[in-house]
Amino acid sequence: QVPLVESGGGSVQTGGSLRLSCAASRDIASYVFMGWFRHAPGKEREGVASIYLSSGTTYYADSVKGRFTISQDNAKNTIYLQMDSLKPEDTAWYYCAASFSYGARLRTASYDSWGQGTQVTVSS
């Protein structure tokens, strides 16, 4: 797999913001989708946001719509997740992933490469 490296995690209070970054070691244009996933204690893994890289079309989990924004920077081979209005429920280990599948969207099984993850903690 091509390495993906996340950064930007940390600890914030409710209502705060964080921006996660995911740097790829290859041209991200070679992927079809890239996305962010999270796994919170006591909850199943969830697709948070993804972006269809050729068009910029974005997909979001209902739980983060209106609060999170995924974006891409092809020149930097990086995608971002801007997280605003954070809630304790957002506390999780966040993973970046990339897919060659045209229908990947937020389907975990469709993603081929994964980063190591970064911790996001939101305190009430």
Side-chain angles (χ1 to χ4, degrees):
Q1 292 184 332
V2 176
L4 301 171
V5 181
E6 302 95 333
S7 61
S11 183
V12 298
Q13 296 184 44
T14 298
S17 297
L18 286 171
R19 189 180 75 160
L20 306 184
S21 299
C22 172
S25 62
R26 66 189 290 173
D27 187 351
I28 64 171
S30 66
Y31 295 118
V32 177
F33 274 93
M34 291 186 72
W36 292 94
F37 299 79
R38 67 187 182 187
H39 190 85
K43 298 182 179 181
E44 64 184 15
R45 184 169 55 180
E46 176 186 24
V48 175
S50 67
I51 187 163
Y52 186 68
L53 294 164
S54 64
S55 69
T57 302
T58 57
Y59 301 85
Y60 296 95
D62 288 343
S63 59
V64 307
K65 286 180 179 177
R67 299 188 298 118
F68 291 10
T69 304
I70 187 171
S71 60
Q72 66 189 90
D73 186 338
N74 288 23
K76 292 181 167 59
N77 291 321
T78 299
I79 65 164
Y80 304 93
L81 186 67
Q82 178 66 44
M83 304 186 294
D84 298 317
S85 301
L86 283 161
K87 305 174 180 179
E89 305 94 277
D90 297 316
T91 295
W93 193 258
Y94 282 72
Y95 297 89
C96 174
S99 176
F100 296 105
S101 299
Y102 284 89
R105 298 192 182 188
L106 296 175
R107 295 172 57 228
T108 302
S110 294
Y111 282 77
D112 304 292
S113 298
W114 293 80
Q116 80 289 343
T118 186
Q119 179 68 41
V120 171
T121 302
V122 185
S123 301
S124 61

